[in-house]
Amino acid sequence: MKKIFSLAAAATLFLAGCGAATLEGENTAESGPVEEREASELVVGVSISTLNNPFFVSLDEGISDLASENGTEVKSVDAQNDTAKQTNDVDDLIQQGVDILLINPVDSSAITPAVESANAAGIPVITIDRSSDGGEVVTLVASDNTEGGEMAAEYIMEISGKDVVTVQLEGVPGASATRERGKGFMNIAEDSLDVVDSQTANFDRAEGLTVMENMLQANPEIKAVFAQNDEMALGAIEAIQSAGLTDSIQVVGFDGTEDGIKAVEEGKLSATVAQQPGEMGRLAMQAAYDYFAGETIEDYIASPLELVKK
């Protein structure tokens, strides 16, 4: 993976004919040098899945804050949860000649052509929170979603008991976060909880409300809910409140958004597996700096998780 990208980067250097210094860091030892660039020289293209979600607003701010501290120019675009728009946005950033792309994919499969276009243009790509199913990336910066899903299932068992009737609200189909959080949850829940239903609500609060209403009608015995993000969890809570079941159903979310943390403090949400999106954004930006400093970049950079409960 690194080898293919590094070859592309080397090709870019050759075509540019520039006399910039190069480093021989371990990152490049497999396939050649990476152009040394100061942070203040970089133009970074950023594609965020949606800025209609506080989590991704914080992620974008984490990138921008570190970039501002280092005098880095950032061109940030909002895909509005539209895979076609995100592909077009990335193509536009490539045409603008950004030095590196930080992409938070709407969909891990649909982003593949855009990543491949960047590869062909010799522009390195870092993915954030969600992976790309294809193309070559320098690294993925993300929480360990599988571990987070396991944390959620274990906490539901702790507060509601073994084999409690549980449902799951899933995120956007095809997104790596959806797959990984669901996988981690079921790693524990399969043997410890009675999961009677699992449906997508696309990481959206309004859909979380609607899907939860339908689940309550079909399964009135529900005692616990795992929502793969806080937005869906908050939607589910509205449905549960409307049904007059607030005191009998525990809801655990994921992400640790400002609204999610507030709901935990108010006792509306039992817990949230908190990511640190601002830190995730900073880690991605730092990985871009490290790349152009010739440092070793691991294929995966973990962003910390924490179970927040009242």
Side-chain angles (χ1 to χ4, degrees):
M1 178 166 61
K2 293 173 184 172
K3 181 176 182 179
I4 293 175
F5 163 68
S6 297
L7 285 170
T12 300
L13 278 174
F14 174 76
L15 291 171
C18 63
T22 59
L23 296 177
E24 296 291 346
E26 188 175 343
N27 180 50
T28 63
E30 296 176 38
S31 54
V34 172
E35 181 183 4
E36 180 183 6
R37 302 287 296 275
E38 297 293 333
S40 59
E41 298 175 328
L42 296 175
V43 178
V44 179
V46 179
S47 174
I48 301 294
S49 61
T50 175
L51 291 177
N52 191 34
N53 182 322
F55 177 86
F56 296 112
V57 171
S58 297
L59 190 155
D60 192 43
E61 289 174 346
I63 294 170
S64 299
D65 288 348
L66 185 57
S68 296
E69 293 171 17
N70 291 279
T72 304
E73 181 180 354
V74 172
K75 297 177 182 290
S76 183
V77 288
D78 175 8
Q80 300 174 10
N81 262 340
D82 184 325
T83 57
K85 183 178 187 307
Q86 185 163 47
T87 297
N88 292 333
D89 286 345
V90 172
D91 285 342
D92 287 343
L93 291 168
I94 291 171
Q95 294 301 316
Q96 293 177 47
V98 298
D99 296 302
I100 190 167
L101 282 161
L102 309 185
I103 302 177
N104 160 233
V106 173
D107 181 282
S108 299
S109 177
I111 197 62
T112 295
V115 173
E116 291 174 340
S117 293
N119 295 158
I123 298 174
V125 176
I126 291 172
T127 49
I128 313 171
D129 188 46
R130 302 166 185 168
S131 63
S132 171
D133 287 350
E136 306 298 335
V137 301
V138 175
T139 188
L140 164 67
V141 181
S143 301
D144 187 333
N145 286 306
T146 303
E147 178 187 0
E150 292 174 346
M151 290 168 66
E154 288 169 347
Y155 188 64
I156 287 174
M157 187 169 58
E158 176 184 332
I159 60 176
S160 298
K162 186 174 174 59
D163 297 326
V164 68
V165 176
T166 306
V167 294
Q168 178 179 213
L169 298 179
E170 302 173 16
V172 175
S176 59
T178 299
R179 295 196 300 264
E180 293 161 5
R181 292 174 191 183
K183 178 178 182 295
F185 177 71
M186 291 308 297
N187 283 347
I188 303 299
E190 197 165 34
D191 295 327
S192 304
L193 302 172
D194 182 10
V195 181
V196 296
D197 202 354
S198 184
Q199 298 183 35
T200 181
N202 289 306
F203 288 135
D204 182 81
R205 187 181 303 199
E207 291 192 44
L209 167 62
T210 302
V211 173
M212 192 68 229
E213 287 175 339
N214 294 335
M215 285 180 163
L216 286 170
Q217 289 181 355
N219 302 284
E221 70 280 14
I222 293 169
K223 297 300 180 186
V225 179
F226 170 50
Q228 292 183 357
N229 79 345
D230 287 346
E231 287 296 294
M232 295 188 296
L234 294 171
I237 287 171
E238 290 184 46
I240 292 167
Q241 288 175 333
S242 296
L245 297 170
T246 300
D247 295 333
S248 59
I249 299 178
Q250 304 287 342
V251 180
V252 174
F254 204 118
D255 282 343
T257 64
E258 183 176 344
D259 285 352
I261 298 294
K262 181 180 178 183
V264 171
E265 293 172 346
E266 294 174 345
K268 297 177 180 177
L269 182 61
S270 303
T272 178
V273 180
Q275 300 187 86
Q276 299 182 36
E279 179 64 16
M280 193 181 295
R282 291 181 69 91
L283 287 170
M285 191 71 247
Q286 185 60 54
Y289 294 152
D290 291 345
Y291 178 82
F292 283 105
E295 297 183 11
T296 299
I297 309 295
E298 300 295 335
D299 291 341
Y300 168 65
I301 298 174
S303 182
L305 285 173
E306 176 187 10
L307 183 67
V308 177
K309 53 190 179 181
K310 189 169 184 180

